[in-house]
Amino acid sequence: MLSNLLVTKQKVVFIIDELNRERIALRFIDSLLHEQGQEAGTIKTLPIGNLRHVSSYEALLNECGNNNNNNNNQSGEAADFKSGPTTDTGTSSTKAEYNIILPTLADLLCYQTPAYIFSFLNRLRRSEHVRRVFLWASPQHLQHHHAQYILAGCEYLAELILRLESETLLSLISRKPGGGVSNKRYACRITKTEFQVTPLDGPAAVGSPKQPSPEADQTAEPASSTFKIELDEDEVVARNALTLPYERTSEPAEGNIIYTPDADDDFDDEDPDEDLCI
Amino acid sequence: MATSVLLACGLNDQKLPGFVHISEESNVDGSFLISCILGQRLRISNAGTLLVCLQHHYQHYFNAGMRLGYNTNIFQGKTLNVIDVLSDMASEGLSCKWLRNPDGLTLTEQLVEDIRAQVESNYANRNSYTILIDNLSILFNLGASKLQVQQFCQDLASLAKERDNLTVITKLSNSDIYQPTDNNVAKLGQVRIQVVRLKSGVFREVDGKLLIERVLDEGSYACEEARKEVLYKVNDRNVKVFTPGEVGVKV
């Protein structure tokens, strides 16, 4: 399932949708989170009607902090997100686990400047009351003059970048905390309620020391191929059990030489070479 | 007169979807759709309609209606209300509120205010209410930015969500030029009708093609959509539709 790949420890998830599915972006991400058992109470969104006012964005951050403090029976003032993690008490019990689903990038850009969006995204990333942030962008919907630059900026901030390339193909760039970056491609099968993914034997991890062997490259089946070259276990057994027409149907019990002697044949049990005095 | 085209678009019912968007490609004229829809809404008893005239004066819609067999003047002030931006500009000049930006409101914000006011005063008395915006691309000519147009449509979409039986129908000309705007407006609604020209060129028996996309069900990961494609021919007093490949198309 796609949710196994996206709902991980990585914090900022950026989804680039080439399929024009922006209409169901919120539902899409919500379903991913529910598949992974994230409770509805931990999921927060910004309603589109509130995007015009900067105070709505601040309220979202404050709400996460306040709810977290209330959940931990802590009285007092709300956490100051502007100052980041340094203001926290440092106890692990104060860490909240909110999943923030942002409106689509096209909607955000409709009301706010790119600079503010980057700043807000960065503050969400740094906030320890936020477990994950999801941002959806459909390039066909971006009408900003510098849409490509903004997309690149969001990719830079993100730790997981999912690109829905086609109905059957997606790629996932993952930046791990240690600095490792991997770029994997998956075949996908999408229905209304399921999003199944299968890893493809493509180019291996980007930036990782392990390189694919030439043999692996040779045996790798291209994603677009209509031929199935590799055999699975059942097919190997079936192939081995098959007897081809030119093969003997039954093995002889012992080796026999069938020879019809001629009239001139001289079969003598004596040693024919005894006269050689060897 | 225009029943067949509305039937093809799925807009012949009394209850319409909350938001319908008509995308009109360059070099084709889809204004017949607005006239057809207007006529159909006016024929339904106690169905309110608000016509926001941006592309033409109200007189144009009256003339078009007369050709299609209905008289808008009979309904005006009763079930039909009109916001005639162009006539206001022509009669009042620069003192017109659409050009003056009173209270610091932009053109689109002013329009939303007026539309909301009309809905507040008329919606309660009607079984259903339809807002026709013809057309969004004129807002660009009047100085609105793409983002303002997008915000305008989002405000209209939220208005449609707030009330049952309220439908917003928008049209955008030159949709191929304003593609991102077109996509952003279309995603707000359940029905998108694209008016496109024939790839093969001009043909005297067919004016163009209608591509109708209707979202039947929004799943978690994919939408179930119904797509339909019909050819149309706008005649003097009616609009005819044909299934592509249909034989017997005659003048």
Side-chain angles (χ1 to χ4, degrees):
Chain A
M1 288 191 296
L2 180 66
S3 58
N4 293 333
L5 301 174
L6 284 193
V7 184
T8 60
K9 287 184 178 176
Q10 271 118 327
K11 202 162 185 180
V12 182
V13 182
F14 186 45
I15 301 171
I16 302 172
D17 160 44
E18 309 275 2
L19 304 176
N20 218 355
R21 284 212 180 102
E22 188 153 310
R23 160 196 310 275
I24 55 166
L26 187 65
R27 194 187 296 253
F28 189 102
I29 298 167
D30 199 48
S31 303
L32 292 176
L33 289 169
H34 279 103
E35 273 180 16
Q36 292 300 313
Q38 302 291 313
E39 293 172 5
T42 66
I43 301 170
K44 293 206 172 292
T45 58
L46 259 175
I48 288 182
N50 298 341
L51 297 182
R52 198 182 301 266
H53 309 292
V54 173
S55 56
S56 309
Y57 300 79
E58 304 297 330
L60 177 71
L61 276 169
N62 289 331
E63 192 185 347
C64 291
N66 288 336
N67 286 351
N68 176 56
N69 289 338
N70 293 337
N71 289 343
N72 290 290
N73 298 322
Q74 290 181 350
S75 60
E77 59 202 8
D80 180 9
F81 288 89
K82 285 183 180 176
S83 53
T86 54
T87 58
D88 193 74
T89 55
T91 57
S92 59
S93 63
T94 63
K95 289 193 177 182
E97 306 292 346
Y98 287 107
N99 295 290
I100 309 288
I101 306 176
L102 292 174
T104 63
L105 189 58
D107 289 340
L108 284 172
L109 284 169
C110 183
Y111 294 99
Q112 298 296 339
T113 61
Y116 183 80
I117 294 168
F118 287 143
S119 162
F120 182 65
L121 196 57
N122 198 33
R123 286 168 61 195
L124 285 174
R125 191 176 65 155
R126 291 173 56 197
S127 169
E128 61 182 9
H129 301 291
V130 175
R131 185 195 280 182
R132 290 180 204 93
V133 184
F134 291 88
L135 178 62
W136 182 290
S138 299
Q140 299 99 318
H141 287 255
L142 296 177
Q143 49 187 348
H144 199 278
H145 297 300
H146 304 294
Q148 289 304 318
Y149 167 77
I150 294 165
L151 271 179
C154 292
E155 285 189 44
Y156 175 74
L157 286 172
E159 290 157 5
L160 265 180
I161 302 159
L162 171 70
R163 189 181 289 272
L164 301 171
E165 296 177 2
S166 70
E167 292 285 347
T168 55
L169 200 63
L170 62 87
S171 67
L172 186 69
I173 298 175
S174 172
R175 295 198 185 99
K176 299 195 172 91
V181 180
S182 67
N183 184 3
K184 292 179 182 170
R185 305 189 86 199
Y186 295 85
C188 53
R189 193 172 57 84
I190 309 170
T191 63
K192 278 198 320 188
T193 54
E194 275 190 348
F195 200 119
Q196 299 286 351
V197 292
T198 314
L200 289 175
D201 295 50
V206 172
S208 71
K210 189 178 178 183
Q211 294 295 325
S213 65
E215 287 180 4
D217 276 349
Q218 285 172 2
T219 56
E221 186 182 345
S224 58
S225 170
T226 55
F227 296 99
K228 186 169 178 292
I229 298 169
E230 291 175 351
L231 299 176
D232 60 23
E233 192 176 344
D234 292 341
E235 287 168 335
V236 170
V237 171
R239 186 183 68 173
N240 293 339
L242 180 67
T243 306
L244 297 174
Y246 57 83
E247 292 178 337
R248 288 170 186 259
T249 53
S250 61
E251 290 296 322
E254 55 183 17
N256 292 323
I257 298 172
I258 302 168
Y259 182 73
T260 307
D262 288 339
D264 298 337
D265 281 350
D266 179 21
F267 288 100
D268 191 353
D269 291 336
E270 293 178 1
D271 185 5
D273 297 329
E274 63 184 358
D275 55 333
L276 296 178
C277 300
I278 298 174
Chain B
M1 295 294 177
T3 311
S4 56
V5 69
L6 293 178
L7 194 66
C9 298
L11 299 177
N12 58 326
D13 298 332
Q14 289 208 5
K15 181 173 168 53
L16 296 178
F19 197 100
V20 177
H21 179 58
I22 301 168
S23 309
E24 185 185 87
E25 210 179 47
S26 302
N27 293 328
V28 289
D29 185 5
S31 54
F32 68 92
L33 274 173
I34 294 289
S35 295
C36 293
I37 294 167
L38 180 61
Q40 191 259 358
R41 299 317 292 173
L42 291 178
R43 285 193 182 98
I44 298 172
S45 64
N46 205 28
T49 307
L50 173 63
L51 177 64
V52 181
C53 309
L54 288 165
Q55 187 164 10
H56 304 287
H57 294 241
Y58 165 72
Q59 189 65 31
H60 165 85
Y61 299 93
F62 167 74
N63 293 336
M66 291 303 283
R67 283 186 176 275
L68 288 173
Y70 63 89
N71 185 345
T72 54
N73 283 345
I74 295 173
F75 302 97
Q76 196 180 5
K78 296 169 189 167
T79 57
L80 173 66
N81 302 102
V82 179
I83 298 177
D84 196 349
V85 176
L86 295 186
S87 292
D88 291 347
M89 286 180 181
S91 59
E92 298 171 29
L94 290 174
S95 60
C96 163
K97 66 177 177 181
W98 308 112
L99 300 174
R100 208 158 32 87
N101 296 345
D103 307 325
L105 294 177
T106 61
L107 170 66
T108 51
E109 288 169 342
Q110 184 68 48
L111 264 177
V112 171
E113 289 286 316
D114 278 32
I115 291 169
R116 276 192 178 275
Q118 289 278 358
V119 171
E120 290 295 334
S121 59
N122 297 313
Y123 173 77
N125 306 323
R126 306 293 170 207
N127 294 336
S128 63
Y129 203 77
T130 307
I131 303 169
L132 283 163
I133 316 281
D134 184 29
N135 82 49
L136 296 172
S137 63
I138 305 301
L139 294 172
F140 297 130
N141 301 342
L142 296 175
S145 67
K146 290 176 184 172
L147 295 181
Q148 283 173 344
V149 172
Q150 191 179 335
Q151 289 173 10
F152 174 64
C153 292
Q154 284 182 351
D155 288 340
L156 292 177
S158 63
L159 189 66
K161 282 179 187 165
E162 286 167 16
R163 292 169 171 80
D164 292 332
N165 292 330
L166 194 147
T167 300
V168 175
I169 300 176
T170 57
K171 194 184 88 172
L172 178 72
S173 294
N174 302 323
S175 58
D176 44 344
I177 299 171
Y178 305 115
Q179 192 68 54
T181 306
D182 192 47
N183 288 335
N184 279 314
V185 179
K187 81 175 179 190
L188 299 171
Q190 294 80 33
V191 179
R192 181 186 199 175
I193 302 168
Q194 291 175 272
V195 189
V196 298
R197 58 180 177 269
L198 295 175
K199 284 181 183 173
S200 52
V202 179
F203 182 43
R204 66 175 182 174
E205 292 178 350
V206 175
D207 286 338
K209 193 189 288 184
L210 296 177
L211 307 174
I212 303 133
E213 296 172 9
R214 177 182 284 261
V215 177
L216 301 174
D217 184 23
E218 290 184 359
S220 300
Y221 298 114
C223 288
E224 184 184 348
E225 287 183 335
R227 292 169 188 270
K228 194 190 281 185
E229 186 177 323
V230 292
L231 304 171
Y232 70 88
K233 169 70 180 172
V234 182
N235 294 316
D236 197 27
R237 292 185 178 274
N238 61 21
V239 184
K240 285 187 176 175
V241 292
F242 311 98
T243 307
E246 186 176 324
V247 294
V249 179
K250 292 174 184 172
V251 179

